[in-house]
Amino acid sequence: MHEIPFQEILQKIRELNAKKVLIQTPEGLKKEAQALAEFLGKNGVEAIISGDINYGACDLADREAKMLGCDALIHLGHSYMQLNLEVPTLFVPAFAKVDVVKALEKNLNEIKKLGRKIALVTTVQHIRDLERAKQFLEGKGFRVFIGKGDNRVSFAGQILGCNFTAARVGRDVDGILFIGAGYFHPIGVALATKKPTLAINPYSGDFSWVNTERIVRKRWGMIAEAYDAKKFGVIISTKRGQLRLGEAKRIMKLLKEHGREAQLIAMNYISPEALEGFDFDAYVVVACPRVPIDDAERWRKPILTPPEVELLLGLREEYEFDEILGGKREKDEPFGISLKLPKR
C-alpha cells in the first residue's frame, strides 16, 4: 500500500558510508520497516528497528540512533521537519499506492456540498497526487486553493496533526476537502479553520463530514472543571519537535498573575498514568496539541491547552485550537527521500 524505495535508501546510506542504521517507523509501517531491515542486512548494513511508538517527524529518534552507535537514522512515513539533528537522517515519506482521483469522482456529490470554492489539503502520503486532484476538481467546476503553509511542513497543501497553516487560504473559501485516511487530521482541520470539512478516504473510497460541535462542547466542559483549580502542572515535551519552553513559561506567568500556582513538568511520553502520584488540581499540555483532545477521556483531572488556559482566565472569548507553528518556508522539499545532515 505504501512506496518504500529500498534501492534508493541503500544508495543514500552508501553515499553516507553508513555501516549501522536505526529505522524509525509509525505503527502502520512496521512490516515495511521489518522488510527494509532484512534488505539492508543482506546488503551489508546493520539495521536496528526502533520499537517505540512514533508520533511524527516531531518525534525523531536521532538521539537514540547516536546512543546506539548508528551512523544514520531512517525515518519512515513522514516528511522533513526543520530540527537540529544529531545524526544524518533520511526522511522517507512512504507515498500511498492508491488512486486519489477515483475516490474524488465517487464522492463528487458530497464534495459539491462544500461549495464551489474549496481548499485542498492532505498528509504527506498523498502529496504527490494533490496537483492531479486539483486539476480534476477544477475540471468539474470548482475553484481549488492549495495553501503554502509554514516551514513546519515540507509541501504546499500538507497538514500535520499539530499544524494546519496550509488549510488557511482566506475567508472566501466555502469549505475544506481533506484527502487521507482516519479522523485524526480532518478534526484538526475543522477545529483550526472553523470551516465545513469533508474527508475523503482514498483507500476505501468512503467519505465523512467532520462535526466539531461535540468536541468543542467537551473542551468547554473541561475548562469549567478547571475553574476552581489552584495548582497547575504545566507539561512540556522533551521530544525536540514538540518542545515549547517559551510558551510554557508564558502560560506559567499568566497562571501566577491570576493567583494560581504553576509547576513545570518535563515528559517524553505524556500519559495520565505517569502523573498519578502528583498532587496537582489540573494540567496544561504545552507539547503536542492533540494530547489533551484525543486522550481527554483517559484523564481524571482537567487537562487544558494554552488557548484554553486563556479562556479560563478570561483573556480570550472565542475557542481556538492549539497549534505548533513555524516560520516562513522558502521552498518545498523535493518529492521522495530527503537526506538531512547535522549542522556543524
Side-chain angles (χ1 to χ4, degrees):
M1 292 294 287
H2 294 91
E3 181 181 304
I4 309 292
F6 285 17
Q7 288 291 347
E8 188 180 348
I9 292 171
L10 179 61
Q11 181 182 338
K12 296 285 187 185
I13 289 172
R14 285 176 172 167
E15 289 173 6
L16 290 169
N17 197 30
K19 305 297 183 184
K20 183 178 179 181
V21 300
L22 179 66
I23 301 172
Q24 185 181 26
T25 176
E27 190 66 29
L29 294 174
K30 285 189 172 179
K31 290 182 180 179
E32 288 86 344
Q34 186 176 349
L36 176 59
E38 292 173 0
F39 169 79
L40 293 176
K42 291 176 182 177
N43 284 275
V45 180
E46 182 182 353
I48 303 172
I49 301 173
S50 172
D52 287 333
I53 298 171
N54 175 243
Y55 294 97
C58 61
D59 185 20
L60 283 184
D62 56 324
R63 294 172 184 165
E64 291 84 346
K66 186 175 182 180
M67 183 178 65
L68 291 166
C70 294
D71 305 307
L73 170 68
I74 301 172
H75 182 84
L76 299 180
H78 304 105
S79 60
Y80 172 59
M81 183 179 289
Q82 293 196 19
L83 300 171
N84 294 323
L85 304 171
E86 297 198 17
V87 297
T89 301
L90 277 69
F91 291 85
V92 185
F95 297 124
K97 300 176 182 178
V98 64
D99 190 345
V100 166
V101 170
K102 184 178 178 181
L104 296 179
E105 192 164 23
K106 177 184 176 183
N107 293 286
L108 204 54
N109 287 335
E110 291 300 318
I111 298 172
K112 288 176 181 177
K113 295 176 184 177
L114 278 174
R116 195 172 70 88
K117 294 180 287 186
I118 58 176
L120 191 59
V121 295
T122 189
T123 58
V124 71
Q125 275 68 47
H126 310 288
I127 204 71
R128 288 190 308 187
D129 299 315
L130 207 58
E131 188 59 37
R132 183 166 161 256
K134 180 185 179 201
Q135 291 173 6
F136 167 78
L137 292 168
E138 288 178 338
K140 298 297 181 181
F142 294 95
R143 286 189 63 193
V144 181
F145 301 86
I146 297 178
K148 183 176 181 181
D150 63 23
N151 70 355
R152 197 164 169 84
V153 297
S154 296
F155 308 100
Q158 181 189 1
I159 59 168
L160 307 175
C162 62
N163 185 295
F164 306 95
T165 52
R168 296 189 179 93
V169 294
R171 294 182 180 180
D172 292 337
V173 169
D174 299 315
I176 317 291
L177 177 59
F178 167 77
I179 299 173
Y183 215 53
F184 177 84
H185 290 92
I187 283 177
V189 169
L191 286 171
T193 65
K194 299 175 183 174
K195 294 278 188 180
T197 302
L198 174 65
I200 302 291
N201 186 329
Y203 301 98
S204 66
D206 297 333
F207 73 88
S208 58
W209 287 93
V210 181
N211 185 351
T212 60
E213 183 180 342
R214 179 171 170 268
I215 295 172
V216 173
R217 191 165 59 243
K218 281 191 171 185
R219 297 316 303 166
W220 277 108
M222 189 72 76
I223 294 167
E225 285 183 37
Y227 185 78
D228 294 323
K230 297 298 182 185
K231 294 185 289 185
F232 285 78
V234 180
I235 303 170
I236 58 170
S237 175
T238 56
K239 299 181 189 300
R240 190 179 289 114
Q242 297 180 16
L243 178 58
R244 294 192 283 169
L245 187 56
E247 177 70 353
K249 289 182 176 180
R250 184 184 75 85
I251 291 299
M252 291 181 67
K253 183 172 182 287
L254 288 179
L255 287 167
K256 290 175 181 179
E257 288 174 350
H258 287 77
R260 316 293 177 106
E261 298 177 27
Q263 173 62 53
L264 201 60
I265 304 170
M267 303 180 74
N268 184 275
Y269 175 67
I270 301 171
S271 72
E273 293 80 14
L275 296 164
E276 282 292 333
F278 290 118
D279 186 30
F280 293 104
D281 302 319
Y283 293 97
V284 185
V285 172
V286 192
C288 175
R290 303 304 297 258
V291 171
I293 293 175
D294 297 337
D295 297 336
E297 306 295 334
R298 297 174 55 205
W299 293 79
R300 297 182 184 178
K301 295 183 178 180
I303 176 169
L304 307 180
T305 67
E308 290 170 355
V309 170
E310 293 175 344
L311 285 167
L312 175 73
L313 300 177
L315 301 176
R316 68 163 68 223
E317 295 180 358
E318 192 173 355
Y319 188 87
E320 295 287 342
F321 183 70
D322 185 29
E323 290 183 74
I324 303 179
L325 303 176
K328 183 179 179 181
R329 191 176 77 258
E330 298 301 329
K331 60 180 181 179
D332 287 359
E333 288 289 308
F335 286 136
I337 296 174
S338 290
L339 170 58
K340 302 298 178 181
L341 304 176
K343 291 183 179 179
R344 301 300 181 188

